Amino acid sequence: MLVNIHMKKNILLVDDDLDLSKSVVNYLSSEGFNVVFKSTAQQALQVLQDEHFDLIITDVVMPNLDGYDLIKLLRLDSSFSCIPIIFLTAKGMTHDRVKGYNLGCNAYLVKPFSPLELLSIVRNLLKNFDLMIKTNLVNQDFSYTKQQDFVLTRKELEVFQLVYQGLMNKEIAAKLQLSLRTVEKYVSRLFLKTNTKNRTQLVKFAAVNNFLKNRANDGIRTRE
């Protein structure tokens, strides 16, 4: 029997200002969020392929790919087209904000900013996004709307539950006392069985079908 899951939200912070980023990471972590920091858009795109994030906070002015480039790429990918994005930047002119909103950012916070205001925006966006998922308005282009009858091993189900909670592969490996490579194999199997391509889609699949919050065998057949 699986109990209701209280997910720890994962936030990706992208900024080349190391001092500011450290402060933001420490502050949001103290408020109960799991925050991953990357200093370039390229690094952000790479980690997004491997890990699930509920929200992205990104600077605009960065070397090579900037924040505008990053959001353009994310909004073109159906896996990330709905993820909330906050621009955190010194570019505060009206035309800068308009450009950000036109590209699909959800909030625009100009440096210097109040940590309390950032926290309020983060919580509000996550709350609204969760509501969208619950009402099945997110990812309407998914090939699935109802869960299919498929078989998961007990260990796959355990991994699935921890992925849904927002744990990274390394954290899952430590919690279940498995090697990182073994966890990666389990996650790959889950992608295959649920017809998903990445952790973001996998988590949304579970949220849309609402089965991990109920019985382990409610709609999912398990075997040892």
Side-chain angles (χ1 to χ4, degrees), residues 55-171:
L55 181 142
I56 298 171
I57 302 172
T58 180
D59 190 13
V60 171
V61 181
M62 294 182 289
N64 299 318
L65 293 177
D66 62 19
Y68 295 139
D69 296 322
L70 177 60
I71 196 172
K72 287 177 185 177
L73 292 171
L74 294 178
R75 292 314 188 213
L76 288 173
D77 189 328
S78 61
S79 301
F80 311 111
S81 60
C82 294
I83 187 170
I85 297 177
I86 300 172
F87 273 146
L88 191 64
T89 178
K91 293 175 68 66
M93 299 296 291
T94 299
H95 69 271
D96 294 318
R97 296 196 300 273
V98 169
K99 182 177 181 179
Y101 287 125
N102 285 340
L103 288 173
C105 80
N106 300 87
Y108 202 110
L109 196 56
V110 179
K111 302 175 183 176
F113 59 91
S114 164
L116 287 175
E117 183 178 5
L118 173 62
L119 178 62
S120 178
I121 292 172
V122 166
R123 286 176 171 168
N124 186 57
L125 288 176
L126 289 173
K127 180 180 179 180
N128 289 339
F129 189 62
D130 284 346
L131 180 61
M132 289 175 66
I133 290 179
K134 289 178 182 178
T135 54
N136 203 13
L137 295 177
V138 174
N139 259 22
Q140 293 181 353
D141 60 332
F142 273 19
S143 60
Y144 53 80
T145 55
K146 298 293 184 181
Q147 69 186 65
Q148 303 297 317
D149 185 28
F150 55 89
V151 177
L152 295 182
T153 66
R154 295 280 181 189
K155 193 60 69 176
E156 286 171 345
L157 192 59
E158 290 177 3
V159 172
F160 202 165
Q161 181 184 12
L162 295 176
V163 169
Y164 186 65
Q165 291 182 48
L167 272 66
M168 305 301 186
N169 286 351
K170 290 182 180 179
E171 296 172 310

